[in-house]
Amino acid sequence: MKNRLSVKPWILGLAVVGLIAGSLLISGYIGFVDSNLFCSISTAGPPAITGYSPAEIQLQSIIHYATAKIVPQQSLDEIRISFDVLKVRCPCNFLIFGLGHDSLMWASLNPHGTTVFLEEDPKWIQTVIKDAPMLRAYHVQYRTQLQEADQLLSTYRSEPSCSPTKAFLKDNKKCKLALHNLPEEIYEKEWDLIMIDAPRGYFAEAPGRMAAIFSAAVMARNRKGSGVTDVFLHDVDRKVERTFAQEFLCKNKYYVNGVGRLWHFKIPPAANMSKADRTSNRYC
């Protein structure tokens, strides 16, 4: 997530600035005021990050992308898919796998909401947070390697704690695909949007995104609140991302749209699924 650059970074950087600045204008931003600049103006609530108002986060984001030489690795068309959902759903709970050059942008587009990043590299967290201390990021340790993907896909059904009717995450050590040791906050909240753009998945010993995709599916299916979970998966040009998305995110059922290397799913909670889907031993 953090190492890829766009072909024409200055164009994308300008576009990102326009996207964020446009969100301020859309919400009726006038002057330097501490109000909800992007979501409904009537929405009330404390700032998502202690010590920083939504206005400060958005303004810093604009300045950052206007002056940065490194810009988000997603294309503008890919960013717009998530942006359009955020326009409707924010303030919301937004969970993002990966901390990168686009993180400040995502946080600024969800004012008064909760935006949390899960990152595999603790040193990279320190690097990013040094320049953007308002971001909330946690270090995650994965139990998988990309080279295990085929085996995990072919054997997970033999473990009951991986099955769609029984799967859970917290302390689920038996199911290797379950992210069992995340910070308590991740388990306590119900996530309205989940972006999967990490961990690394381009060499054999990398963690791969198998566990992130599986865990996102479990979070969505176990949702108790109303509404669906919007899940965004990046790098679908790669085999593992495509295969695990089809197995757990259900491309044939819950795929909404996509562009470039991004797919967008709307996954309902199990309670809202048909009885056949709810009791099936398959996710899709």
Side-chain angles (χ1 to χ4, degrees), residues 212-228:
I213 293 171
F214 174 86
S215 296
V218 172
M219 289 178 187
R221 291 176 64 95
N222 291 350
R223 183 184 178 95
K224 299 298 187 293
S226 61
V228 300

Side-chain angles (χ1 to χ4, degrees), residues 12-13 15-16 19-20 65 71-86 102 105-106 109 195 232 234 259 262:
L12 183 53
V16 169
L19 195 69
I20 298 170
Y65 292 111
V71 297
Q73 72 279 0
Q74 289 189 26
S75 70
L76 181 60
D77 287 339
E78 290 169 346
I79 291 171
R80 279 194 178 278
I81 289 181
S82 307
F83 175 71
D84 288 342
V85 175
L86 279 166
D102 53 3
M105 175 188 69
W106 294 126
L109 294 178
M195 172 80 73
F232 308 92
H234 199 224
V259 65
L262 185 82

Side-chain angles (χ1 to χ4, degrees), residues 65-283:
Y65 292 111
T67 58
K69 295 181 180 180
I70 301 176
V71 297
Q73 72 279 0
Q74 289 189 26
S75 70
L76 181 60
D77 287 339
E78 290 169 346
I79 291 171
R80 279 194 178 278
I81 289 181
S82 307
F83 175 71
D84 288 342
V85 175
L86 279 166
K87 284 193 296 185
V88 176
R89 301 202 66 175
C90 75
C92 62
N93 294 331
F94 191 7
L95 180 65
I96 302 176
F97 286 87
L99 185 68
H101 301 299
D102 53 3
S103 297
L104 187 58
M105 175 188 69
W106 294 126
S108 71
L109 294 178
N110 186 32
H112 286 308
T114 298
T115 305
V116 176
F117 302 89
L118 300 178
E119 170 59 40
E120 62 174 301
D121 185 350
K123 292 183 179 180
W124 179 245
I125 292 177
Q126 294 176 5
T127 298
V128 174
I129 296 300
K130 180 180 178 181
D131 294 329
M134 72 289 297
L135 297 180
R136 299 174 60 187
Y138 293 110
H139 174 226
V140 179
Q141 293 180 310
Y142 291 87
R143 297 183 287 169
T144 58
Q145 290 189 348
L146 184 66
Q147 60 193 353
E148 303 171 321
D150 290 341
Q151 180 185 7
L152 289 168
L153 195 62
S154 63
T155 60
Y156 83 89
R157 294 193 191 94
S158 63
E159 174 50 59
S161 62
C162 289
S163 70
T165 58
K166 299 180 180 180
F168 60 100
L169 297 182
K170 183 180 178 180
D171 297 327
N172 187 353
K173 297 180 181 180
K174 292 184 178 180
C175 180
K176 196 170 183 179
L177 285 170
L179 293 176
H180 72 293
N181 59 349
L182 298 176
E184 193 65 28
E185 178 185 9
I186 308 303
Y187 301 125
E188 291 177 349
K189 289 186 181 297
E190 293 199 333
W191 299 98
D192 305 303
L193 278 70
I194 301 176
M195 172 80 73
I196 305 171
D197 204 0
R200 293 171 296 172
Y202 50 87
F203 59 96
E205 294 77 19
R209 298 184 185 170
M210 302 84 70
I213 293 171
F214 174 86
S215 296
V218 172
M219 289 178 187
R221 291 176 64 95
N222 291 350
R223 183 184 178 95
K224 299 298 187 293
S226 61
V228 300
T229 303
D230 286 282
V231 178
F232 308 92
L233 175 62
H234 199 224
D235 295 319
V236 295
D237 54 316
R238 302 192 302 212
K239 177 184 176 182
V240 167
E241 278 78 358
R242 291 197 312 271
T243 303
F244 274 72
Q246 291 165 352
E247 181 75 15
F248 298 109
L249 303 180
C250 307
K251 190 172 188 293
N252 292 336
K253 291 183 179 180
Y254 305 132
Y255 174 84
V256 179
N257 59 359
V259 65
R261 296 180 290 127
L262 185 82
W263 283 352
H264 173 207
F265 303 83
K266 285 185 177 291
I267 303 178
N272 291 356
M273 296 178 181
S274 66
K275 183 178 180 180
D277 289 340
R278 192 167 58 249
T279 59
S280 173
N281 62 354
R282 299 184 65 108
Y283 282 82

